[in-house]
Amino acid sequence: MAAPVHTDLLSELRDSVLERGVPATSAQVLELLRLPDEQLENLLALAHEVRMRWCGPEVEVEGIISLKTGGCPEDCHFCSQSGLFASPVRSAWLDIQMLVEAAKQTAKTGATEFCIVAAVRGPDERLMTQVAAGIQAIKDEIDINIACSLGMLTPDQVRRLAAMGVHRYNHNLETARSYFPEVVSTHTWEERWDTLRLVREAGMEVCCGGIVGMGETLEQRAEFAGQLAELEPDEVPLNFLNPRPGTPFGDLELMPAADALRTVAAFRLALPRTVLRFAGGRELTLGDLGARKGLLGGINAVIVGNYLTTLGRPAESDIDLLGELSMPVKALNQTL
């Protein structure tokens, strides 16, 4: 009697990804996303082995803060910060002292990365000036890596951010190229890709991920994993849609937990050497048990505390969980 196809697949991936570090292809990722529930634990176990083999046991911890919230001119259908939707988020700016205090609180958790985010299509001169002042004020007070997420950039803006000492730049592709027009209509997937190319050429680390559970097909989810693998980002933040009131995706259902865990493990196998970060929506989609399973199924980084417009897990809860799992927080000198 022939062995089940899924058993053959996991054996094949154990040899190619775990032993040789060859990323899973989009076709293999699609097969993983279709695995039956009874094979989920085996898949998670393999993904954990891959993470430990190619990334090690350390977990990178990051905090994020919104410098400029709301009033964004873009129509990203998942985002309550768009000024085009009837969502409850209103435009607001943080002052420099609030930014520094947020960075200090983040550092106290043991985090090595602090990300400054702004809800914009791309930064204007006012925002660039504010970011420069904020980065300098943070550097004067504490020792922490600073990342930014400010939308699409010009070549000059990329050079300026690199000169400011920005360690990593986040700009998510959000979803597969083929599904992107169903998610955003005010700019293109290719425009985002161009910014990421400029960031890499300037010597900053590339942080690029997206959101799953936005109505994409499994084929498109596998396509997205393959496109991220082609980009070879240093970090992939993996978000799960948290439907926000007033947005076009506000009525979508939460992604089933088993599908979310399959996605985590499949993305790890497609990106064996990449920092794969738990990001928004995991609290609702996976809960505490799911957070544990994800950390034992390929995840090796977390955002602690709250997100931009939604609540996250308390930072202490994630740090305590890492301790229970004997997963050390990556030290700052390992990320510089």
Side-chain angles (χ1 to χ4, degrees), residues 278-302:
F278 255 159
R282 63 185 169 107
E283 297 78 15
L284 290 176
T285 302
L286 292 169
D288 290 345
L289 178 60
R292 181 183 295 268
K293 283 182 173 288
L295 285 163
L296 293 172
I299 292 291
N300 68 324
V302 294

Side-chain angles (χ1 to χ4, degrees), residues 181 253 316:
E253 295 183 0
E316 297 78 12

Side-chain angles (χ1 to χ4, degrees), residues 138-272:
I138 292 168
K139 287 181 175 293
D140 287 344
E141 294 278 345
I142 57 172
D143 188 17
I144 194 168
N145 288 325
I146 298 175
C148 285
S149 181
L150 312 173
M152 292 173 284
L153 302 174
T154 66
D156 180 64
Q157 289 170 337
V158 170
R159 287 192 292 270
R160 289 170 65 185
L161 289 171
M164 291 175 202
V166 173
H167 166 251
R168 185 179 289 169
Y169 193 80
N170 165 256
H171 194 49
N172 290 337
L173 289 171
E174 304 299 7
T175 191
R177 186 175 185 172
S178 67
Y179 191 60
F180 191 86
E182 304 301 319
V183 179
V184 184
S185 70
T186 48
H187 60 267
T188 66
W189 192 93
E190 290 77 12
E191 286 177 286
R192 289 181 176 241
W193 186 277
D194 287 344
T195 285
L196 294 162
R197 176 180 52 80
L198 291 171
V199 166
R200 169 161 286 137
E201 290 173 355
M204 288 182 282
E205 289 192 2
V206 172
C207 172
C208 178
I211 306 173
V212 293
M214 294 193 293
E216 74 279 2
T217 64
L218 292 183
E219 288 83 0
Q220 287 165 329
R221 202 172 295 163
E223 175 196 341
F224 183 38
Q227 288 159 347
L228 288 173
E230 179 185 350
L231 178 66
E232 296 184 326
D234 298 278
E235 174 189 343
V236 171
L238 193 56
N239 300 269
F240 307 93
L241 181 68
N242 179 350
R244 307 315 301 150
T247 67
F249 288 168
D251 293 329
L252 293 182
E253 295 183 0
L254 288 176
M255 189 177 187
D259 288 347
L261 289 171
R262 261 188 290 270
T263 302
V264 166
F267 274 53
R268 168 51 69 202
L269 294 178
L271 300 153

Side-chain angles (χ1 to χ4, degrees), residues 81-97:
Q81 299 200 64
S82 173
L84 304 178
F85 307 144
S87 59
V89 175
R90 294 294 174 260
S91 184
W93 286 75
L94 285 185
D95 62 32
I96 298 300
Q97 190 50 49

Side-chain angles (χ1 to χ4, degrees), residues 1 5 14 28-29 40 43 84 91 110 116 119 124 136 139 162 189 220 233-234 311 315 318 326:
M1 183 176 179
V5 172
R14 175 172 291 277
Q28 290 171 325
V29 169
L40 179 56
L43 171 59
L84 304 178
S91 184
I116 301 170
D124 58 14
Q136 188 57 57
K139 287 181 175 293
W189 192 93
Q220 287 165 329
D234 298 278
L311 298 177
D318 281 326
S326 299

